Amino acid sequence: KNEVEQSPQNLTAQEGEFITINCSYSVGISALHWLQQHPGGGIVSLFMLSSGKKKHGRLIATINIQEKHSSLHITASHPRDSAVYICAVRYRSYGGSQGNLIFGKGTKLSVKP
Amino acid sequence: DTAVSQTPKYLVTQMGNDKSIKCEQNLGHDTMYWYKQDSKKFLKIMFSYNNKELIINETVPNRFSPKSPDKAHLNLHINSLELGDSAVYFCASSQSLRGQTHSGANVLTFGAGSRLTVL
């Protein structure tokens, strides 16, 4: 069982719709990342958060540490938002070294004009 | 001006060959990573280096040997290539929390990926 679960796997929306992508994880983490992979393959880091909420333009990421859950929201979606959105968590590590990132399987978003 | 650059972008080779993928970052980060993205688009960590020192080595065949000559470079050498090695390999870098000087610490910056096809 993958330790990071994303939902939905696929999402089709009309331009202008409000989008929510969810990510759940299983144990304590030190950080959670949201990544965007463009149709061309390039990966961009959107957010890194360990608590609360972050906003950048039309993108909002929230995390609830108690519920082990994070959401990525896109307001006023646009066809150029079409991409795969990947959640990744860094579990708390031991011995002082950095924990490695565990990735979700991604959510493929298509926004239709 | 690319922050994390990988070469080559595409690599097609025969089974049994040895090949290398190079990665360089000009962000001043102290940690670099290699990730493998399989045909199902699932990303998985392979290696992580912090200040030229190996800190993560996931269950990767020892045909894969990372080399970090300095903290700006992390190269991946693969011996005796197999069909199952076909994938996109992403290099990334970040600044570790220990070296944190700004709120962007530990944010990953990815290279464009290197698509390896083994025939």
Side-chain angles (χ1 to χ4, degrees):
Chain A
K1 183 176 184 285
N2 196 29
E3 297 168 18
V4 179
E5 298 288 343
Q6 280 187 241
S7 62
Q9 269 190 302
N10 292 285
L11 182 55
T12 301
Q14 286 299 125
E15 183 172 357
E17 283 185 8
F18 180 81
I19 307 264
T20 296
I21 300 170
N22 297 299
C23 177
S24 298
Y25 51 91
S26 51
V27 294
I29 64 169
S30 59
L32 182 143
H33 296 252
W34 280 104
L35 310 172
Q36 179 192 53
Q37 185 165 27
H38 299 293
I43 300 176
V44 174
S45 179
L46 298 175
F47 296 103
M48 187 196 70
L49 61 165
S50 52
S51 64
K53 177 178 170 179
K54 285 191 177 178
K55 185 174 189 292
H56 187 263
R58 294 181 295 107
L59 300 177
I60 303 166
T62 63
I63 187 167
N64 185 317
I65 298 294
Q66 286 73 31
E67 294 186 4
K68 297 184 175 60
H69 180 268
S70 174
S71 292
L72 176 69
H73 304 286
I74 306 175
T75 60
S77 60
H78 190 276
R80 65 174 174 265
D81 298 325
S82 297
V84 175
Y85 293 84
I86 302 168
C87 171
V89 302
R90 190 180 300 277
Y91 285 104
R92 288 202 196 102
S93 56
Y94 302 93
S97 63
Q98 292 190 41
N100 44 319
L101 278 183
I102 309 294
F103 294 86
K105 293 188 176 180
T107 295
K108 185 173 182 181
L109 171 66
S110 298
V111 182
K112 307 289 185 195
Chain B
D1 292 332
T2 306
V4 180
S5 59
Q6 299 180 225
T7 54
K9 196 172 165 112
Y10 299 97
L11 184 53
V12 180
T13 188
Q14 300 285 333
M15 273 176 57
N17 283 349
D18 303 338
K19 290 292 176 189
S20 292
I21 308 172
K22 296 186 176 182
C23 181
E24 175 182 5
Q25 54 96 3
N26 61 6
L27 297 164
H29 288 164
D30 62 1
T31 306
M32 295 185 73
Y33 311 82
W34 277 109
Y35 295 95
K36 180 179 179 181
Q37 186 173 45
D38 61 25
S39 57
K40 294 182 180 175
K41 305 292 186 186
F42 188 54
L43 273 164
K44 195 166 181 187
I45 182 81
M46 296 175 71
F47 301 102
S48 171
Y49 270 73
N50 178 265
N51 281 319
K52 304 192 299 173
E53 182 184 340
L54 179 66
I55 55 170
I56 293 171
N57 181 356
E58 285 298 294
T59 308
V60 175
N62 58 14
R63 298 181 294 101
F64 289 78
S65 51
K67 294 243 178 349
S68 183
D70 55 60
K71 70 176 190 178
H73 295 84
L74 181 61
N75 303 323
L76 184 64
H77 188 76
I78 315 169
N79 288 327
S80 303
L81 279 156
E82 299 178 357
L83 293 176
D85 298 333
S86 296
V88 181
Y89 293 85
F90 285 95
C91 176
S93 71
S94 69
Q95 182 63 34
S96 67
L97 292 174
R98 282 172 297 186
Q100 181 177 351
T101 57
H102 54 79
S103 61
N106 224 23
V107 173
L108 287 167
T109 303
F110 283 84
S114 296
R115 182 178 291 277
L116 171 65
T117 303
V118 182
L119 303 174

